[in-house]
Amino acid sequence: MTGETFCILIGALCVLPHLVYGAIDWKNMGRSLLRRSSPIVGTNSQLLEKRAINKTVWVSSHSYEGESFFDEWIFWNYQDPTNGLVEYVDRDTAFREGLAYITPEGRANMHVDSKTVLTLQEVMSRTKLRKSIRIHSKTLYNQGLFILDVAQAPWGCATWPAYWLTGFNWPGDGEIDIIENVHSVLSNQVAWHTDPGCWLTTPGNFTGTAGSTNCDASVNYNKGCGIVDQSIASFGPTFNEKGGGVYAMKWDDMSIDVWFFYRSAIPRNILDGLPDPSAWPLPSASLSNVGCNIRKFFKNQMLIFADKRLQVIGLVPHIRSLGAPVHVRRKSWIPIVSKMLLGASIISRSTTRRSLTLHTWKQIRGEFSSLFYLESPSGERLEHLNLSTSSQASDGQETVISRTLMTGEVLSALIVTLCVLPHLAYGAIDWKNIGRSLLRGSSPIVKTDSRLSEKRAVNKTVWISAHSYEGEHFFDEWTFFNEKDPTKQVNGNLLEYVDRDTAFQEGLAYITPEGRANMHVDSKTVLTLPEVMFRTKLRKSVRIHSKTLYNQGLFILDVAQAPWGCATWPAYWLAGFTWPDDGEIDIIENVHSNLSNQVAWHTDPGCWLTTPGNFTGIVGSTNCDGYVNYNKGCGIVDQSIASFGPTFNEKGGGVYVMKWDDMSIDVWFFYRSAIPRNILDGLPDPSAWPLPSASLSNVGCNIRKYFKNLMLIFDTTLCGDWAGTSYSVVGCPGSCEEKVMDPHSFENATWSINYLKVYNKTVINTSYLEANAGRVQLAVLSRVSIGVAFLVFLALSF
């Protein structure tokens, strides 16, 4: 009863049910067995045809509605980029003055100020403007189904309302205008604005009237390409008189489609929360991949509402996902399967035959019979192996549709698992190749007896704590840098870094009762413009350097609060005494009130950031040479708009991790609610985490050569090379020098650190442990497999 013998015995049991359900393809069975795949079975042709059908469903991934609608949006309060005569207000002002609120019916309302009387002189000179609302979603999207239910939308002379998507890099990331027009026009216009090369093809699969077909934003005065809806109740007063309606936008690799539905004509599947665009009529507007590479021209987009009055019942984005009032959905195939599947049918991440399979699960609804769970050698746990007896659509991201229990396919799936289990004792499953094996319809590839020694020779990397900066002793291992600000160009040197005694005496550095290390920019002293301009008196700040120099390691920083605000330039970084020869690693860095963190590297000539790479962020410059491009270095921007600035603090901060070894320098950012369990347990394991947001690979840069003997640094600079030169560009008021005068400008310029822990890599050989564990697995799992197989045999007999 070795693993192989057991599998041969059970293989016969897999074949028997197919004598009823179909005919065995004896001709191909031999070659099937030779390549270790399951027997090829020719089933009833109608049944086979039915099982081959794939169905696309949209699973809810985000819902903006009700009293929490505004929680996931940023109130944009900078100068109007379209040169309009409005003042966009911040969140507090919007709610205080009744420009944004939730109605008793749960609608999100946004208004233009309709009470204040302005004079012509005030408007012409821009000394006082009419207040309005513009909000940006905190989440960036890459494709999905977006369903917006609007009860009322803005209209009227001089108004220009819009519901649209765009990215931080315009027009490089593209722009999608879903609802937009001006004045009291009655028909909506959908438009797209891109880099050169994207065209609207006509005629197309849409019902609207095409306008311009060149989507290039750099020509035709940024007209873009657009389509006007034929309905004269899709915008303006008639839209509101009809009770509004639903706008749906489907964005995938094939096209970007927009539908408008009157309130009385909203598809039943939308109302039921199970949207199915394939059942809807032609969209009113569609941009096809025939003339425009959708994936290339549209990426990393935030949702935006702007202008007069808007009543939103709900917005639900679906990443091929489900819709409550405003919903975003995510595209999935039925059944949706994640991680690893063990079964005899053809399985992949995106498609599968409609046969019952053994699978892993995240969120389930229905009745399941739990059999086993497995854990891969890499430590990935396959939550449960289930046989589904009944199921319905899940609210989560996993869905399964099942057939009758104990068909030939179910038995085959069960038996494959029973064949695999003994191999956990006799050998190691080849997890690397199991996925591609299943994709081509074969059974999992298993390394058996002869490979046992290979499994036992595996070395495991662990990270051992080497240094911990936290609690009342946090500052003991740091020096307070109190020399002239090195970022001296343009309007630099507008601050004074203080020594340790001054920092503690003036409350610029201290440990909170909760044990956090706090560092502030002075937010009490009032300075005059001559003092700042002539540098006779400067604003005080803190910059600290670790006393320890590091060469590689795993650095985990838990930050409760980080500095932000106009004129500020905070950073958590590493550098050596010889710059840039020793290299520089910027882990947290940006300026003003930006929302996304930027990771960067600065080196001697010869180090390059290779793209594409194993990271999720957006690449900027790829040349890390600190002597060129005004020392821009090479960098990657985090896609999260809560990784820096006010939103980062509102979310309670988070954890930044930097892993530095010979292979790469990787940086992760984790929201407070998404910190990996192994970090919280003090046993960090980067191999179990998702892709980092930023990574500098040794493919383009010799890590050991360009980075060495680095100290950790925290600082908050004011103005300087970056914050000074970009000050007016981002819409900060006045000049950088004037901002430095006002102490209240720096009330948010605070570092509040829970801890910073440093780990060193250690490799452990697991030979001894696994050699003994194998005997236990053999004794237990083989007997379990035999017992379950016997029960299955009895069930079939009856």
Side-chain angles (χ1 to χ4, degrees), residues 5-22:
T5 305
F6 184 70
C7 285
I8 291 172
L9 172 63
I10 298 306
L13 296 178
C14 295
V15 170
L16 288 174
H18 286 292
L19 295 177
V20 176
Y21 284 98

Side-chain angles (χ1 to χ4, degrees), residues 504-725:
F504 280 89
Q505 288 168 8
E506 299 188 13
L508 302 182
Y510 58 91
I511 303 298
T512 69
E514 298 81 19
R516 292 174 179 163
N518 277 21
M519 293 171 280
H520 299 265
V521 172
D522 168 28
S523 58
K524 299 178 180 178
T525 306
V526 177
L527 303 177
T528 66
L529 186 58
E531 287 174 333
V532 176
M533 294 297 289
F534 295 102
R535 277 57 168 177
T536 57
K537 190 174 182 181
L538 300 172
R539 189 156 303 283
K540 295 176 181 178
S541 184
V542 174
R543 171 169 166 163
I544 60 174
H545 296 190
S546 68
K547 296 177 181 179
T548 302
L549 296 182
Y550 292 97
N551 284 282
Q552 305 191 359
L554 184 68
F555 302 77
I556 301 180
L557 173 70
D558 188 320
V559 187
Q561 182 177 343
W564 66 274
C566 283
T568 61
W569 177 5
Y572 158 56
W573 51 302
L574 295 90
F577 289 110
T578 306
W579 187 95
D581 307 40
D582 294 338
E584 175 184 334
I585 306 170
D586 302 322
I587 302 173
I588 302 177
E589 187 179 28
N590 215 316
V591 293
H592 310 306
S593 302
N594 287 336
L595 302 177
S596 294
N597 182 56
Q598 177 171 303
V599 177
W601 300 270
H602 306 257
T603 67
D604 270 346
C607 175
W608 291 79
L609 172 63
T610 53
T611 58
N614 292 319
F615 52 83
T616 62
I618 303 166
V619 176
S621 173
T622 56
N623 187 355
C624 309
D625 186 352
Y627 294 106
V628 300
N629 298 329
Y630 304 98
N631 182 28
K632 190 175 183 180
C634 55
I636 298 173
V637 177
D638 196 306
Q639 289 199 28
S640 167
I641 55 172
S643 55
F644 190 88
T647 314
F648 175 86
N649 290 350
E650 290 169 8
K651 295 287 188 181
V655 164
Y656 272 94
V657 181
M658 189 266 286
K659 179 174 71 69
W660 167 20
D661 58 23
D662 284 343
M663 301 304 295
S664 61
I665 299 175
D666 305 324
V667 175
W668 288 263
F669 166 61
F670 300 108
Y671 298 109
R672 175 73 53 205
S673 59
I675 301 171
R677 183 76 248 176
N678 53 40
I679 289 181
L680 299 176
D681 291 340
L683 299 169
D685 180 9
S687 67
W689 303 340
L691 284 177
S693 55
S695 178
L696 178 67
S697 167
N698 67 347
V699 174
C701 184
N702 185 327
I703 304 295
R704 184 176 288 271
K705 174 184 176 182
Y706 286 101
F707 299 92
K708 54 190 178 294
N709 305 318
L710 303 182
M711 70 187 85
L712 295 159
I713 303 174
F714 287 94
D715 68 39
T716 306
T717 297
L718 304 181
C719 301
D721 294 343
W722 188 359
T725 57

Side-chain angles (χ1 to χ4, degrees), residues 190-386:
V190 177
W192 300 269
H193 306 257
T194 68
D195 273 344
C198 176
W199 291 80
L200 172 64
T201 53
T202 57
N205 292 320
F206 53 84
T207 61
T209 306
S212 172
T213 57
N214 187 356
C215 308
D216 184 355
S218 64
V219 300
N220 298 330
Y221 303 98
N222 182 29
K223 190 174 183 180
C225 56
I227 299 173
V228 177
D229 197 301
Q230 289 192 9
S231 167
I232 56 171
S234 56
F235 190 89
T238 314
F239 175 87
N240 291 349
E241 290 168 8
K242 295 285 187 180
V246 163
Y247 272 92
M249 188 268 286
K250 179 175 71 69
W251 166 20
D252 58 22
D253 284 344
M254 300 305 295
S255 61
I256 299 175
D257 305 324
V258 174
W259 288 263
F260 166 62
F261 300 109
Y262 299 110
R263 176 72 53 205
S264 58
I266 301 171
R268 183 74 247 176
N269 53 39
I270 290 180
L271 298 175
D272 291 340
L274 299 168
D276 181 8
S278 67
W280 302 343
L282 283 178
S284 56
S286 178
L287 179 67
S288 168
N289 68 347
V290 173
C292 183
N293 185 326
I294 304 296
R295 183 177 288 270
K296 173 183 177 182
F297 287 103
F298 298 93
K299 54 189 177 294
N300 307 317
Q301 308 248 315
M302 70 190 87
L303 294 160
I304 302 175
F305 287 100
D307 204 50
K308 191 183 175 186
R309 181 172 181 176
L310 182 72
Q311 289 190 352
V312 179
I313 297 178
L315 170 67
V316 182
H318 299 251
I319 303 178
R320 289 196 181 188
S321 124
L322 279 187
V326 178
H327 298 290
V328 180
R329 294 179 180 268
R330 188 195 59 167
K331 176 179 179 181
S332 301
W333 297 98
I334 294 279
I336 303 171
V337 183
S338 69
K339 292 187 182 177
M340 194 61 62
L341 297 181
L342 303 180
S345 56
I346 300 176
I347 301 169
S348 70
R349 178 169 174 75
S350 60
T351 70
T352 174
R353 294 183 184 277
R354 291 185 59 192
S355 58
L356 200 56
T357 60
L358 296 170
H359 57 88
T360 62
W361 208 248
K362 293 178 181 176
Q363 287 180 275
I364 57 175
R365 179 189 291 174
E367 300 173 8
F368 293 86
S369 173
S370 179
L371 294 180
F372 307 102
Y373 75 83
L374 298 176
E375 184 167 310
S376 72
S378 66
E380 179 186 21
R381 176 169 173 167
L382 285 78
E383 295 292 338
H384 286 281
L385 295 176
N386 297 302

Side-chain angles (χ1 to χ4, degrees), residues 43 47-53 352-354 403 409:
T43 58
L47 183 60
L48 180 61
E49 182 179 353
K50 180 181 178 183
R51 291 177 188 165
I53 293 174
T352 174
R353 294 183 184 277
R354 291 185 59 192
R403 292 196 301 105
E409 289 73 16

